Amino acid sequence: MAGAPDLLFGLRNNFYLGAFQAAINSGDVQNLSEEDAIERDCLIYRSYIALGSYQLVINEIDSSAATPLQAVKLLALYLLSTDNKETVISSIREWLSDAAIGNNPILRLIAGIIFMHEQDYNEALKYTNAGGTMELNALNVQIFLKMHRSDYAEKQLRVMQQIDEDHTLTQLATAWLNLAVGGSKIQEAYLIFQDFSEKYQMTSLVLNGKAVCCMHMGNFDEAESFLLEALNKDAKDPETLANLVVCSLHLGKSSSRFLSQLKLSHPEHMLVKRGSTAEESFDRAVQTV
């Protein structure tokens, strides 16, 4: 209905900006249509997944739940254990090939997220490239940037800007692209994260965004302060820990504590897998900063 209030705006915004507990807490929204109620539940369960509560999601979503919720459950199973990987990927391929449900946007989004985790970007794009929602468009931007195709990412961003230039995901995607392009665009990316931090709750995602911009501009002391603030909010966040490893090494400080935390909480992280010592990890990490 044109002009109707968007009852899920606050919940969505919290989720997009990484305020996952706030998203869960703002989930008690009344008078939703069936479709909106399913979207709300998906966002709440995806927030629990982001907080590492995989088993809760698996336990609560039963086999009678709608397709989007079943897809979210698959993501929880996938992230819970590498033992589940083959079964989950087999299930998701089977569902995507089913004409009745294969085009469901949440199912396609979860497929994209899973194949992006697998670093199988072409497979991810099979399901996400058609877009259809702002989240799918934003995921496409991320996938193209992972493939080092900022030209395709820019085209996808233009689609988002035509739909809603002020949308949180459009602004985030603009910042991601600006970071990838570099140069004078870094300052523009910083201003986007700064705007988020003034308007909304400060989250690890926003603080990391500001910190990465600072590192690109050579302001490592400022970056460190943002990252330590992010670490206070979430001591296990892999991006915060990885960025602290890089930042510490640039400042000539020991990064071993952050690398050890990263190894314990995220043994699959790129920095852990690629370098057995902080110095080796640094050689890899500076390529991404």
Side-chain angles (χ1 to χ4, degrees), residues 174-194 208-219 288-289:
T174 304
W176 298 333
L177 181 62
N178 285 342
L179 277 169
V181 171
S184 61
K185 292 288 183 184
I186 301 296
Q187 183 63 33
E188 290 177 36
Y190 182 86
L191 291 174
I192 290 171
F193 289 118
Q194 180 63 28
N208 272 278
K210 290 171 81 170
V212 171
C213 292
C214 287
M215 286 196 278
H216 274 284
M217 294 186 285
N219 303 334
T288 65
V289 173

Side-chain angles (χ1 to χ4, degrees), residues 35-289:
E35 190 179 342
D36 283 349
I38 290 170
E39 184 187 351
R40 174 200 60 198
D41 291 347
C42 284
L43 287 166
I44 289 172
Y45 284 128
R46 287 172 65 200
S47 296
Y48 277 118
I49 288 172
L51 293 172
S53 300
Y54 310 131
Q55 198 61 56
L56 178 148
V57 175
I58 293 161
N59 293 346
E60 288 202 7
I61 300 175
D62 64 32
S63 56
S64 64
T67 298
L69 287 163
Q70 296 292 347
V72 171
K73 183 176 182 174
L74 276 186
L75 178 61
L77 282 163
Y78 172 85
L79 294 171
L80 177 70
S81 168
T82 51
D83 296 343
N84 298 332
K85 192 184 285 190
E86 283 184 29
T87 317
V88 167
I89 289 173
S90 170
S91 295
I92 210 152
R93 284 189 201 278
E94 189 183 323
W95 295 1
L96 288 160
S97 65
D98 183 333
I101 60 169
N103 204 34
N104 181 278
I106 299 283
L107 177 60
R108 291 193 291 120
L109 180 77
I110 298 298
I113 291 168
I114 287 172
F115 286 115
M116 193 168 154
H117 269 280
E118 291 288 301
Q119 298 183 352
D120 191 344
Y121 303 125
N122 288 319
E123 189 67 18
L125 286 168
K126 272 189 202 173
Y127 309 113
T128 62
N129 201 26
T133 68
M134 291 299 269
E135 264 208 279
L136 279 163
N137 292 333
L139 187 62
N140 285 332
V141 171
Q142 284 185 298
I143 294 167
F144 287 132
L145 291 176
K146 290 274 188 191
M147 297 170 81
H148 306 290
R149 292 304 306 259
S150 53
D151 51 340
Y152 284 133
E154 190 172 356
K155 284 179 188 171
Q156 193 67 221
L157 177 59
R158 279 204 290 270
V159 171
M160 295 177 76
Q161 288 168 334
Q162 283 165 4
I163 297 166
D164 184 352
E165 194 166 7
D166 296 322
H167 195 287
T168 297
L169 287 176
T170 308
Q171 292 298 307
L172 273 175
T174 304
W176 298 333
L177 181 62
N178 285 342
L179 277 169
V181 171
S184 61
K185 292 288 183 184
I186 301 296
Q187 183 63 33
E188 290 177 36
Y190 182 86
L191 291 174
I192 290 171
F193 289 118
Q194 180 63 28
D195 188 48
F196 282 141
S197 65
E198 289 169 4
K199 280 187 188 169
Y200 305 112
Q201 182 182 336
M202 188 77 86
T203 63
S204 287
L205 183 148
V206 173
L207 286 162
N208 272 278
K210 290 171 81 170
V212 171
C213 292
C214 287
M215 286 196 278
H216 274 284
M217 294 186 285
N219 303 334
F220 291 97
D221 286 315
E222 193 177 355
E224 184 186 39
S225 69
F226 288 137
L227 292 169
L228 291 173
E229 189 181 340
L231 197 66
N232 284 336
K233 292 182 179 294
D234 182 358
K236 292 182 178 178
D237 180 63
E239 294 316 306
T240 304
L241 291 167
N243 285 329
L244 273 165
V245 169
V246 178
C247 194
S248 299
L249 288 159
H250 270 286
L251 289 168
K253 296 181 179 181
S254 170
S255 64
S256 57
R257 178 164 64 92
F258 304 124
L259 193 61
S260 297
Q261 280 178 264
L262 189 61
K263 279 179 182 172
L264 283 170
S265 56
H266 295 84
E268 292 295 303
H269 195 279
M270 176 188 75
L271 283 193
V272 176
K273 286 167 80 173
R274 289 190 181 180
S276 57
T277 69
E279 286 69 28
E280 285 175 51
S281 300
F282 174 65
D283 291 339
R284 306 284 185 180
V286 287
Q287 296 167 16
T288 65
V289 173

Side-chain angles (χ1 to χ4, degrees), residues 16-47:
Y16 297 152
L17 291 172
F20 301 116
Q21 192 58 55
I24 292 164
N25 295 348
S26 61
D28 187 19
V29 186
Q30 304 301 315
N31 305 316
L32 293 176
S33 66
E34 185 183 359
E35 190 179 342
D36 283 349
I38 290 170
E39 184 187 351
R40 174 200 60 198
D41 291 347
C42 284
L43 287 166
I44 289 172
Y45 284 128
R46 287 172 65 200
S47 296

